[in-house]
Amino acid sequence: MGFSGHLVFGRSERSLLEVPAFGSIHRELKETVHAWLPRPGGWQTLQLDHGLWEEEDLRALVECTGQAACVADVYDSDVALVTGMSADGQSWRACLNLQVAALLWAEEPEDLDDQSMWVNTPEFNEAVQRKRAELDAEVPASAQDALAWAAAAGVGGVAGQSEIEDLLRSQQTFVEDLFDALLDRLGFPEAAQR
């Protein structure tokens, strides 16, 4: 079973967990937060369990730090929905591991009695293909917005839009690796290896 929770990426001179946006998390729960290796320039990623992060917390983090930030809502290490926001309030969204997302989010018929029977039907395959096409159609705009977000954060220039689109369409066993690769390709300094 993989990780389900949130990957929060932001910038702070101190530990990101000490930023007032995380002030409502109880001290004992803060001990469950895992910090990834930091990136140069104060860029940090925190791995939080579900229930410790709400959608409106991204805006609070950006306001507290005055810096761009993003969060990946991860499901079982298989799929993630990434939302980013710049200091000027511009936001973007991207899905990671599109094929898995299409399998999970394909529209089910309203009269469905047994999901286990439905997944073995041609109708299920058609629903997955429709969802995959829908998600794929969003990739160019997501890539463009992610690049603009990175530029607003003061980084970028490492990859062009087509490279970001390729990454958004790629597949990884662990979506956390894909999230990390996205940050690298957007031009954020890579984490120091220990």
Side-chain angles (χ1 to χ4, degrees):
M1 187 165 161
F3 168 72
S4 290
H6 297 93
L7 302 174
V8 180
F9 179 72
R11 187 178 197 182
S12 176
E13 292 181 11
R14 56 186 169 173
S15 168
L16 197 57
L17 198 53
E18 295 175 15
V19 172
F22 294 99
S24 64
I25 299 176
H26 191 274
R27 185 176 49 88
E28 290 176 7
L29 291 176
K30 283 185 179 181
E31 293 174 6
T32 67
V33 175
H34 173 71
W36 288 13
L37 289 175
R39 293 170 178 257
W43 294 103
Q44 303 166 50
T45 302
L46 299 178
Q47 185 173 316
L48 295 88
D49 292 331
H50 271 298
L52 298 182
W53 185 265
E54 301 295 331
E55 191 172 323
E56 62 272 6
D57 291 338
L58 180 59
R59 181 172 301 283
L61 177 60
V62 170
E63 288 173 359
C64 286
T65 62
Q67 301 287 329
C70 70
V71 61
D73 186 2
V74 178
Y75 175 73
D76 202 22
S77 292
D78 291 331
V79 65
L81 183 60
V82 182
T83 305
M85 183 176 287
S86 62
D88 64 4
Q90 297 294 317
S91 63
W92 62 278
R93 288 195 122 160
C95 182
L96 302 178
N97 274 351
L98 297 183
Q99 185 60 34
V100 177
L103 288 166
L104 293 172
W105 300 339
E107 188 173 339
E108 297 177 352
E110 289 182 22
D111 60 348
L112 183 65
D113 291 328
D114 185 355
Q115 186 178 26
S116 64
M117 298 294 287
W118 184 61
V119 298
N120 294 317
T121 66
E123 291 81 12
F124 172 75
N125 291 331
E126 291 169 11
V128 169
Q129 288 175 352
R130 280 192 304 275
K131 179 52 84 172
R132 174 63 196 250
E134 178 185 314
L135 293 170
D136 191 72
E138 297 170 1
V139 167
S142 294
Q144 183 177 12
D145 292 345
L147 285 164
W149 170 78
V155 301
V158 172
Q161 181 164 335
S162 63
E163 290 176 83
I164 299 300
E165 288 181 26
D166 289 346
L167 188 138
L168 293 178
R169 289 183 172 112
S170 68
Q171 190 77 20
Q172 288 282 336
T173 302
F174 297 101
V175 76
E176 297 93 319
D177 295 336
L178 199 50
F179 177 71
D180 204 35
L182 176 62
L183 296 173
D184 290 347
R185 291 264 181 91
L186 288 172
F188 289 92
E190 293 186 28
Q193 299 298 317
R194 290 185 189 203

